[in-house]
Amino acid sequence: MNDVVLEVEHLVKRYGDGPVVVDDVSFRVRRGRTTALVGESGAGKSTIGGIVTGLQTATSGRVAVCGEDRTRVARSARERRRRGAQLQLVPQDPATTLDRSQRIGDALAEAVALGGTPRTDRLPRVEELATQVGLGPTHLELTPRSLSGGQRQRVAIARALATSPEVIVLDEAVSALDVSVQAQVLNVLNALQRDLGTAYLFITHDLAVVRQVAHDVVVLRHGRVVEHGAVEQVLGDPQDDYTRLLLDSTPRPGWRPVALV
Amino acid sequence: MTALLQVDDLTLDLGDTPILRGVSLAVRPGEALGIVGESGSGKSMTLRTVARLLPDSARTGGAVRVGDRDVLGLRGRELREHRRGLGMVFQDPRSAINPVHTVGAFLVERARDAGQDTAAAREQALTVLRRMGMTDPERRMRQHPFELSGGLLQRVMIASVLMERPRLLLADEPTTALDVTTQADVLALTDELRREMGAALVLVTHDLDLASAVCDRIAVMYGGRVLETAPAATLRDDAVHPYTRALLASRPPLDQRLTEIPVAPGSPVPAAQTGPGCPFVDRCPVALPICGSALPEERLVGASRVRCHRVEEVA
Amino acid sequence: MTVLPFTAARRLTRSRTRRTGLGVSGWAAVVVLVLVAAAAVLAPLIAPYDPNTGDLLHPYATPSADHWLGTDGTGRDVFSRLVYGARTSLLGPAAVVLAALLLGVPLALVSAWRGGRTRIVLGSVLDVMFAIPGLLLAILAVAMFGPGLGAAVIALAIAYLPYVARLATTAAEGERRLPYVQALSVQGHGALRVNVRHVLRNLSPVLVGQASVAFAYALIDLASLSFLGLAVQAPQADWGVLASDKDALLKGHPLGVASASVLIVVTVLSLFVLGSRVSGEDRR
Amino acid sequence: MRRFLLRRLLGAVVTLLIASIVVYLCVYLSPGSPEQVLFGSRPPSPEVQAQVREYLGLDQSPVLRYLTWLGHVLSGDLGTSLITQQPVSSRIADPALVTLSLVAYAAVLIVLLGVGSGLLAALRPGPVDAGVTTLTSVATAVPAFVAAGVLISVFAVQLGWFPAYGQGDGVVGWWHGLTLPAVALAILASGLVSRVTRASARQELASEHVETARMRGISGGRLLRSHVLHNAAPSVVTVIGLQVAGLVAGAVVVEQAFGLNGLGGLLISSVQQKDFPVVQAIALVVVGAFVLLNLLADLVVMALDPRARVVAR
C-alpha cells in the first residue's frame, strides 16, 4: 500500500450554489507510475488538478500525498516546503509557464534553493536538471522569450524536478505544443520516470498522448468518473459508451469523423 | 479540368519578415485540399492571402487566381465580389462573430446588407443550422454569441458561410478549439453539406490524420514552403519527403505504447529562420550539403509531388 | 480637476513588456524632464534674481538681457520665478504619487492575492473614495489645515489612491492568474516572495508608466489648486501661481503667464509620453 | 436589470452618505466655528452668543447636529445657510445652474470634438491621423486654467469677441459668456476622449469579427456602423461618463478664471465660513452628479453590449 504517492477519495467541488463540477471522484497514483485524467472541457479534470496542487480547496473529500492529508491549506513555511518536496506542477501554456523576466538559470536555482541546497552547490544541481530535460548550459543564460515552446516546457519540467518530488501534476503540459515537439517532451517525461521513479498525474484531453504515458486512466465526464482502469484495458476494450465515443472521435490514420446524430 | 484556385510561386513578406516562399497549389472545383503544417509553416497565411486578409505591411509576389480573377491585384468593389464568392471559417468563432449582435442578426446580415429578403435568409439559415446538428435553432437565433458554447458557435459560423453556397470554402483550423467529440461531429456534418453543395475546400490544420479524413489531397508545408503534395491515402501510406515522414512518425499512436516516439530533433522554424535551401535541412536525418543551398523544383514521385534532393534514395 | 483616464488605459492596454527602448519621443521626454528636474534642484545657481523681491519701478518690463522673460506686475524677474517655481511644482506631485503608490500597490497585491471577500471589501471602499472628487477633498483639507501645499498634497494623495490601487489591482490580478505564479506557489514559495520577487517585478513597467501619468495629473491638479489660491500661496513662486496672473493678461502682458503655461504643458506632455513608452502601452 | 439598477442606486446612496459624513467630519474638525465667522472681530455679549448658538442649533452635540441635518435632507429639506439664513436650496440654485450649464456645454463640446477627431484619426491613417493624434496628445496636457489664459488673452483681450468676465443676460448673453469657459473646460477631456475613440476604433477595425464582415462582403457603411462604431462605443461612453462627471467639480477652476459665480466658488467661501449646510449640499450635488453620470454611462454601455448586461445581472 505504501507505494501510493497520491490518493484522492470522494472528491467533490462545487462553486457556491452553482453546479457540482467534481462529483465524487476517487483515484490513486502509484510510485513511478502515471495516472491520466482524461476528458473534454467541463469534465472537471483541471479542477481536480487545482485541488490536488492546493491551489483550490475541495468542497468535500480527501487528498493525501505520500500519506499526508492535504485537505487544509499549508500554514507554515516549513509545511509549504515539505509539500513542495512531495508534489510539483507543470502548467499548460508554454508562454506563461515561466516568469518572463527571470533567466532560466535563476528560475531553476530558485527552485533548487527551496530544498535547502547551499548556495555553492546550486549551480551543479541546476546544470544537472537542465541536462536531464535535454537543455544545455547556454540555455541557462536566456530569458523565456528566447526559448521555443518546447524548451520552455522542458524548463518547467526541470523546475518541477528541482525539489525531487514524488509526484508531478502535468496539467495539459504538452497540449499546446507542435506534434514533433510534443513527441520530444513525451519522450523526456517517460525517460525521466524510468530514471527517477517520479509519478505523474497527467491531465489531458488527448487519448493518443494518454496511450504513450499512462499506466492507469480515469475517464471523466461532467465531473464524474465514467471509467477507470489500466490503460490497455480502457483504451483497448472500453466498457463505457462515452469512452468509446472519445476513442472514435480521436483522429488517427484512416480515421473518419462520424456525426453524433 | 481547370483549377478553381491556382496559386503559383507565391511569396509573402510582412514588412521585412519573409512568411511564404514559392508556394504553389491548385484546387479543382468541388475538391478538398488540406494544408498541413506546424506553427510557423505559413499555412494560415497562405489561406489569408487567398482571401486577401493581409495586414497593410504585406508584400506579395507570384500569382493567386480564383476562377478567372487575379486575386492579388483586386481592389474595392472587385475585391468585395471576390470575397463574397468565398466562405471563410476561422479557428475561434468567439472572436470571429461580432459579440454585440444576436446570432440571428449575424446570420441574416448579408441578406439585409444586400437588400434581399431577410425572411428567406432566415429560413435558409434555420435549415442549415438544423443540418449542422443544432437543436432548437429558433431559440439560438435570438441569443447572443456569448450564450452559446464554442461548438455551437462554430456551427453558426459554418452555417453562415454555407448558406451562401460559396464555390470555395476556406477553413483555418476550424475545429482545433473544439472538444474531440464535437470536432468529429462538426467535421462530419460540414463535410456532408459541402459535398452536397459541390463547394471546394481548403482546410488548414496541424493534424494530418484529420486532414486525411476529409480531404482529397494534402499539401505539407514547412518554413513557408510546400514540401510535398499528394492524395490523402498516398500521403498516409507512402509519404516521400523526410519531413512528412517525420511528422507522421511523431504523432503518438493510439493503439500501442512506444518506448520512444521517433522524432526529429529541434523545433519547427518559420520562413524567416531558413536559408536558401530546404527549410528542414537542420533536422533532416538524410540531408546532403546541397540541401542547405538549394530547394529543388517539384518532382512527381508516384502520386506525390515532392521538393527534395533525396527523393530517389528515400522513395 | 481632471479625472484620470486609468479606466480607459486599462481597457486599451495590452500590457506588453517588450523593451525595445524609448524611441525618439521617449528620449525627448526624458531630456525635458531631466532639464526641468535640474532646474528645480539647482534653482539658486541658475536663477539670476531672487524670485520674491521685485523692482517696483519696473513692472512689466519687456524681455531683455537683464530679464530674459521680462518682469511681472511688481517688477520680479519672471525667469527666476519660473526656475524656483519648478521646485514646488514638481515636489508636490512627487509626494502625491509616492504616497498613492506606497499605499495603493500593497493594497492591490493583497487584494489580488487574497481575492474573494478581501477583494470585494477593498474594492467597495475604493469605489466610494473614487466618487469623492479630489477637489472637494482639497477644499476641505484647506479648511482643516489652512491653505498651503501640505493640505493639498494630502487631499490629492487620498484622491489618487483609488485610481492607483484600481489600476494596480487589475494588473496584479492579471499577473496572479498566470500559470507561473501558480507553479511557484505549488513549489513551496511563500506569498511574500512570489509577490515581491515575481509579481511586483513584472508589474513594474506598468506601474512606473502609470506613476508617470499620475505624476502629470497631480501636477495639473496641484497647479490648478495653486491657481485657485488653495495650495501654494501667491507671493511664492509656483507655475500654477504664475499662470494665474490674470491681471497681467488683462493688461496685455501675457508673457509670464504664457511661459508658465508652456512649461506646464511641456512637462505634462513629456510625462505622458514617457509613461506610455515605459509601460509599452503605445506599442502594438 | 431592475435588480442591477436597485443595487447601483443603493450603492449611490451609501456613497452619498459616506461622503456626507466625511464632509461633516472635515468641517467639524477644522478650526473656528460659524458664529465666530458671523460675529467677526467684535463678539457680542455671552448671552447673545448663547442665543445665537441655540438658534443655529450649535449647542447640540455634533452627532445630533449631523443626524438632524440628515433627517431634514431625507425629508427633502437641505436646511438653512448659517451665514445668510437663506434656504440652502435657493442659495445654491443660481450657482448650480451656472455650473451645470457650463458642464453641459462642455460635455457637448467633448463629445463632438473628442469623438469626431478620434474617428477621423482612426479612419484616415497617415498624415491626417498623425496630425490629429499630435494635436489631441497636446490637448491632453493642457489644464483648464492654461486654456483659460490663452482664450482670455486671444479672444477676449486681443480680439474682443467674447467677454473675459461673467456672463450676460438672456440666452444669447449666457451662451456668449459661457463659450470660452466651456471650451477651456473641454480641451483636456476632448483630447482624452479622442485618443480613446481612436484606439478602440482601431482595435475593432483590426478585430477578427470585422475580418469576418469583410469576408462576407458587407458594405462599408454597415461595416463601420454595425461592427466598428457599435463595438468601440462602450469604452468611449465609459470615458466620457468619467470625464464629464469629473467636470462638475473641476468647473471651479474655469469659473474662477472667468469670474463666473458657480458652485465651486460658493463651496470655497462656504467652507471658509463654516457654513455647514451649504457645504454639505454642494458636496451632495458634486458626488451625486459623479455617481449618476457614471451610472448613466454604464446603462448606455449595457444597452450597447449584451455581455455587460449579463455581468450586471
Side-chain angles (χ1 to χ4, degrees), chain A:
Chain A
M1 260 319 278
N2 64 355
D3 68 333
V4 173
V5 286
L6 170 64
E7 188 164 22
V8 172
E9 284 177 336
H10 305 297
L11 200 65
V12 175
K13 176 68 183 182
R14 184 173 189 189
Y15 293 103
D17 300 331
V20 178
V21 290
V22 176
D23 191 358
D24 195 20
V25 170
S26 304
F27 61 87
R28 286 169 180 177
V29 183
R30 289 171 198 286
R31 172 164 294 126
R33 310 276 282 180
T34 299
T35 297
L37 296 183
V38 63
E40 300 184 291
S41 49
K45 49 191 196 304
S46 283
T47 307
I48 297 173
I51 294 168
V52 166
T53 48
L55 294 166
Q56 284 177 276
T57 50
T59 307
S60 67
R62 177 172 172 273
V63 173
V65 179
C66 304
E68 280 183 47
D69 186 76
R70 282 225 184 184
T71 313
R72 72 178 173 73
V73 181
R75 290 217 188 88
S76 66
R78 229 179 70 213
E79 195 173 358
R80 265 201 317 268
R81 284 177 187 212
R82 195 177 60 243
R83 289 186 178 191
Q86 293 167 343
L87 179 138
Q88 286 286 334
L89 168 71
V90 177
Q92 168 179 11
D93 182 10
T96 48
T97 193
L98 302 170
D99 183 343
R100 58 184 175 277
S101 53
Q102 196 175 27
R103 289 183 317 130
I104 304 308
D106 296 340
L108 293 182
E110 188 181 23
V112 167
L114 272 176
T117 315
R119 196 169 288 275
T120 46
D121 298 343
R122 282 180 204 164
L123 186 61
R125 174 78 176 123
V126 166
E127 284 175 347
E128 182 194 16
L129 285 168
T131 318
Q132 279 177 334
V133 296
L135 295 172
T138 49
H139 292 119
L140 298 177
E141 299 300 317
L142 303 173
T143 52
R145 198 188 312 147
S146 325
L147 299 185
S148 68
Q151 288 170 329
R152 285 183 211 168
Q153 285 309 75
R154 287 167 192 256
V155 176
I157 294 167
R159 180 181 58 190
L161 287 174
T163 56
S164 310
E166 288 292 339
V167 51
I168 299 180
V169 177
L170 297 123
D171 188 359
E172 300 276 11
V174 298
S175 304
L177 303 176
D178 279 315
V179 210
S180 61
V181 180
Q182 183 185 66
Q184 294 167 0
V185 175
L186 289 177
N187 286 340
V188 166
L189 284 170
N190 278 334
L192 285 171
Q193 187 167 64
R194 278 193 298 272
D195 296 347
L196 305 174
T198 315
Y200 299 141
L201 177 63
F202 206 102
I203 299 172
T204 181
H205 64 274
D206 190 337
L207 286 180
V209 167
V210 168
R211 191 70 188 85
Q212 297 313 308
V213 293
H215 303 95
D216 296 299
V217 190
V218 181
V219 183
L220 293 159
R221 188 186 195 192
H222 304 323
R224 294 178 143 269
V225 177
V226 297
E227 190 159 1
H228 184 178
V231 68
E232 300 80 6
Q233 162 69 36
V234 174
L235 297 192
D237 181 21
Q239 298 302 304
D240 186 86
D241 286 346
Y242 179 68
T243 315
R244 215 168 290 134
L245 176 65
L246 271 185
L247 264 170
D248 290 344
S249 305
T250 305
R252 58 183 165 276
W255 171 79
R256 293 270 164 214
V258 181
L260 290 170
V261 223

Side-chain angles (χ1 to χ4, degrees), chain C residues 1-5 7-8 11-12 14 127-128 130-133 135-137 139-145 163 217 220 223-224 227-228 230 239-240 243-244 246 249-252 254 257 261-262 264-265 268-269 272 276 284, chain D residues 15 18-19 22-23 26-27 29-31 137-138 140-143 145-146 149 152-153 157 164-165 188 192 196 199-200 203 234-235 238-239 242-243 246 249-250 252-253 256-259 267-268 271 279 283 286-287 290-291:
Chain C
M1 195 95 346
T2 40
V3 171
L4 287 75
T7 351
R11 276 183 177 232
L12 299 169
R14 296 277 170 275
D127 275 350
V128 171
F130 192 73
I132 305 178
L135 186 90
L136 183 63
L137 283 178
I139 291 174
L140 292 169
V142 166
M144 286 172 71
F145 304 110
Y163 293 99
Y217 282 106
I220 290 183
S224 301
F227 177 87
L228 291 173
L230 295 174
W239 294 348
S244 65
K246 197 174 175 183
L249 276 189
L250 294 176
K251 286 176 180 158
V257 174
S261 302
V262 166
I264 292 173
V265 172
V268 167
L269 197 55
F272 283 160
S276 67
R284 28 199 92 203
Chain D
T15 304
I18 294 175
V22 170
V23 171
C26 289
V27 175
L29 291 176
S30 59
S137 300
V138 174
T140 55
V142 177
F145 67 89
V146 167
I152 288 174
S153 188
V157 179
Y165 264 118
L188 193 148
L192 282 173
V196 171
S200 44
Q203 193 182 319
S235 331
T238 305
V239 172
L242 274 173
Q243 290 299 317
V252 61
V253 176
Q256 205 84 343
F258 286 93
L267 176 66
I268 294 175
V271 166
V279 174
V286 170
V287 176
F290 186 93
V291 174

Side-chain angles (χ1 to χ4, degrees), chain B residues 84 108-119 121, chain D residues 218-219 222:
Chain B
R84 221 175 268 175
V108 302
E109 183 183 23
R110 195 149 123 170
R112 177 168 290 147
D113 186 52
Q116 292 158 356
D117 183 1
T118 53
Chain D
I218 303 297
S219 59
R222 175 177 294 270

